[in-house]
């Protein structure tokens, strides 16, 4: 066990287990709120930054940036390339090109930041301000004395680690297996100007591109801030079980092979974006600039207990694992961290089981239940087939419907009330000011998407 920069003890002490972006954000927030904070990690700071992949693209929208600002933290909006909208293309199982729209983000811009960079910089600030950083693998056995010694203990070790301390909420967990197989790779070689993906949007590279193939899965390209390469692009693909994409994704074993697989995928399935994809280059200096795997969407209880009966709180992916298709994982963990810090700062009683459970119930009601429902919508959950069909069709007809639909990624709460096709029509009427039936009557299949004419400048 190693310990650095031990802080003098204050009247209240907190422990945070897990030094990913949610854990270190909560640790830094609690430290600034006057707690003596110990942050535990199974890897040292250099290894956290350089010896593993980023945990997804971590695209953040307005509400998450507001949460970080409330903690006095850099949301990277001045450093990362900006997402000002989402451009969507949907093709049917017979490759018929059906739906296209370009939704603008209203009142905010998204940023996707390498989680290794954000966690590293916040860990540096935490240590400089007197936080105690302990490098040790925390087990259920060693968690017990940690929880006993601290007034508040947060567990942010992700989907593995100590997550079994928190029972699965069966009522909120509809899937018993991952819904997609994932592949991601970060690349350079492509700018962010209006000439990039110009066939999708007038603003080109300021919008991320999302393509849905009914029988295969989904592919997404978006502006990204890599920890070393700086402004770049990230690809994230979702393969449906049993699809050809799933077989292709499984063959990836390096950044280079992942990049080749993605380029071939666009040759064979998504040729409308192919010139931009062919212009990208792998980040050779970062062998961890790619990742494959699968995530079972799971909601767990917010309260766990150690062997000695001490209450501990779940944070981030330990509490809720989202399929990343709707970008809600990063949002959820950071918003939850900010709300826990704000509540803890003013709480004068014990941080007991009742307090932990009440904070978690409020988070589920105020954010997480809606975020999970929006994720299921973008996954094409059969329960929302008619609702999704109407929302996406309307988005292709009316820009106001498109803005409202992509706005659910930023603020998912309005979707909680959409529990039927009739409710979806009420939602559409409310956001457009036009009767939903009139909007949907104007829908017609796209026929053929515009193809890219991108021609990168090549040095002589």
């Amino acid at each position: 066990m190693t310990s650095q920069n031990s802080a003098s003890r204050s009247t209240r002490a907190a422990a945070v287990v897990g030094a990913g972006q949610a854990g270190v954000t909560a640790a830094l927030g609690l430290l600034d709120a006057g707690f003596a904070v110990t942050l535990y990690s199974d890897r040292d700071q250099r290894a956290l930054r350089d010896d593993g992949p980023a945990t997804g693209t971590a695209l953040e929208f307005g509400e998450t940036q507001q949460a970080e600002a409330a903690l006095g933290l850099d949301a990277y909006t001045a450093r990362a390339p900006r997402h000002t909208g989402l451009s969507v293309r949907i093709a049917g199982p017979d490759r018929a090109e059906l739906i296209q729209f370009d939704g603008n983000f209203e009142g905010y811009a998204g940023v996707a930041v390498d989680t290794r960079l954000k966690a590293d910089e916040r860990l540096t600030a935490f240590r400089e301000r007197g936080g105690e950083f302990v490098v040790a693998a925390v087990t259920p056995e060693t968690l017990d004395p940690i929880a006993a010694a601290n007034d508040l203990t947060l567990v942010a070790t992700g989907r593995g680690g100590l997550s079994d301390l928190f029972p699965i909420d069966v009522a909120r967990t509809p899937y018993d297996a991952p819904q997609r197989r994932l592949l991601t790779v970060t690349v350079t070689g492509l700018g962010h100007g209006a000439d990039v993906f110009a066939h999708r949007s007038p603003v080109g590279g300021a919008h991320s591109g999302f393509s849905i193939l009914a029988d295969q899965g989904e592919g997404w390209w978006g502006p990204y801030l890599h920890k070393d390469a700086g402004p770049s692009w990230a690809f994230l693909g979702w393969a449906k079980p049993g699809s050809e994409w799933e077989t292709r994704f499984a063959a990836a074993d390096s950044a280079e092979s992942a990049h080749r697989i993605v380029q071939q995928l666009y040759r064979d399935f998504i040729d409308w974006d192919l010139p931009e994809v062919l212009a990208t280059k792998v980040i050779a200096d970062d062998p961890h600039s790619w990742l494959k795997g699968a995530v079972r969407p799971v909601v767990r209880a917010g309260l766990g207990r150690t062997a000695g009966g001490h209450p501990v709180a779940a944070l981030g992916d330990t509490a809720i694992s989202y399929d990343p298709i709707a970008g809600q994982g990063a949002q959820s963990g950071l918003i939850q961290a900010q709300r826990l810090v704000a509540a803890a700062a003013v709480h004068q009683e014990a941080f007991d089981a009742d307090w932990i459970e009440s904070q978690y119930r409020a988070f589920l009601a105020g954010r997480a239940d809606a975020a999970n429902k929006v994720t299921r919508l973008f996954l094409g959950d059969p329960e929302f087939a008619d609702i999704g069909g109407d929302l996406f069709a309307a988005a292709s007809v009316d820009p106001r419907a498109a803005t409202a639909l992509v706005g659910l990624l930023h603020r998912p709460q309005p979707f909680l009330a959409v529990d039927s096709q009739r409710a979806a029509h009420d939602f559409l009427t409310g956001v457009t000011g036009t009767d939903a039936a009139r909007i949907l009557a104007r829908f017609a299949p796209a026929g053929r998407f515009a193809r890219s004419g991108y021609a990168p400048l090549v040095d002589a």
Side-chain angles (χ1 to χ4, degrees):
M1 177 180 290
T2 61
S3 175
Q4 298 115 352
N5 295 344
S6 178
S8 60
R9 306 304 286 179
S10 70
T11 56
R12 297 195 295 178
V16 180
V17 184
Q21 71 166 356
V24 74
T25 296
L28 186 54
L30 289 168
L31 186 70
D32 289 345
F35 285 75
V37 183
T38 306
L39 176 63
Y40 293 85
S41 170
D42 60 356
R43 292 180 290 169
D44 64 24
Q45 185 167 358
R46 187 207 60 78
L48 287 167
R49 190 186 194 281
D50 295 328
D51 289 352
T55 53
T57 57
L59 175 57
E60 296 176 13
F61 303 104
E63 283 200 343
T64 310
Q65 295 163 23
Q66 293 164 10
E68 291 182 312
L71 291 171
L73 300 176
D74 180 8
Y76 292 81
T77 53
R79 298 164 60 183
R82 294 156 64 85
H83 296 245
T84 60
L86 179 66
S87 172
V88 177
R89 303 290 182 268
I90 303 177
D94 55 356
R95 308 289 170 83
E97 297 173 13
L98 301 176
I99 290 177
Q100 59 183 355
F101 64 87
D102 193 43
N104 294 309
F105 297 152
E106 196 168 57
Y108 61 94
V111 290
V113 179
D114 194 325
T115 54
R116 299 167 298 180
L117 173 66
K118 183 175 286 188
D120 179 65
E121 292 187 352
R122 291 182 181 175
L123 179 54
T124 295
F126 173 79
R127 297 172 69 184
E128 288 175 346
R129 296 177 195 177
E132 184 176 2
F133 180 53
V134 175
V135 180
V138 177
T139 66
E141 292 73 26
T142 59
L143 180 63
D144 190 58
I146 291 171
N150 286 275
D151 299 288
L152 174 63
T153 299
L154 308 180
V155 178
T157 52
R159 293 180 288 272
L162 302 169
S163 61
D164 286 345
L165 292 174
F166 305 91
I168 292 176
D169 185 334
V170 176
R172 286 184 165 90
T173 304
Y175 306 120
D176 59 6
Q179 299 302 290
R180 299 289 191 273
R181 293 288 165 177
L182 309 174
L183 179 66
T184 183
V185 62
T186 305
V187 295
T188 58
L190 199 61
H192 300 91
D195 61 324
V196 176
F197 294 114
H199 61 295
R200 279 182 169 263
S201 168
V203 299
H207 281 196
S208 48
F210 189 50
S211 295
I212 301 172
L213 275 70
D215 59 339
Q216 296 292 334
E218 301 83 16
W220 175 89
W221 283 97
Y224 186 74
L225 184 67
H226 182 269
K227 67 182 179 72
D228 301 316
S232 50
W233 283 83
F235 166 81
L236 182 55
W238 298 263
K240 290 187 173 183
S243 66
E244 183 178 338
W245 284 18
E246 182 180 42
T247 301
R248 294 191 187 197
F249 286 7
D253 58 8
S254 66
E256 290 77 12
S257 67
H259 186 232
R260 288 194 299 271
I261 288 166
V262 172
Q263 289 188 322
Q264 191 61 49
L265 197 77
Y266 275 71
R267 286 190 184 95
D268 295 342
F269 293 91
I270 313 177
D271 68 306
W272 51 85
D273 291 340
L274 183 58
E276 280 85 352
V277 175
L278 293 179
T280 61
K281 302 175 182 177
V282 74
I283 301 175
D285 292 339
D286 180 10
H288 304 294
S289 58
W290 75 288
L291 182 66
K292 70 177 181 180
V295 177
R296 178 194 173 193
V298 170
V299 179
R300 295 182 177 273
L303 170 70
R305 290 190 180 274
T306 66
H310 302 290
V312 294
L315 173 63
D317 288 348
T318 303
I320 305 173
S321 298
Y322 298 87
D323 187 290
I325 198 165
Q328 295 305 301
Q331 323 294 318
S332 188
L334 292 167
I335 290 172
Q336 185 190 14
Q338 185 271 323
R339 293 182 182 181
L340 276 171
V341 168
V346 298
H347 185 67
Q348 299 302 316
E349 307 297 328
F351 296 102
D352 57 15
D354 287 343
W355 185 87
I356 291 172
E357 289 188 316
S358 69
Q359 296 305 313
Y360 193 57
R361 283 194 302 270
F363 176 63
L364 290 171
R367 176 78 194 193
D369 284 343
N372 267 311
K373 190 172 179 180
V374 166
T375 299
R376 294 176 65 194
L377 172 70
F378 276 81
L379 276 171
D381 189 302
E383 183 177 330
F384 303 121
D386 292 337
I387 291 171
D390 285 350
L391 292 180
F392 281 88
S396 72
V397 174
D398 192 311
R400 296 166 297 184
T403 293
L405 178 56
V406 301
L408 295 175
L409 303 175
H410 151 66
R411 187 173 183 273
Q413 290 89 328
F415 192 57
L416 269 180
V418 181
D419 56 5
S420 66
Q421 199 169 13
R422 173 67 177 273
H425 289 193
D426 290 343
F427 172 79
L428 288 170
T429 300
V431 299
T432 64
T434 303
D435 182 70
R438 291 178 58 190
I439 294 173
L440 291 168
R442 292 160 47 201
F443 171 73
R448 181 173 169 81
F449 303 145
R451 263 55 183 175
S452 173
Y454 179 68
L457 296 176
V458 179
D459 293 337

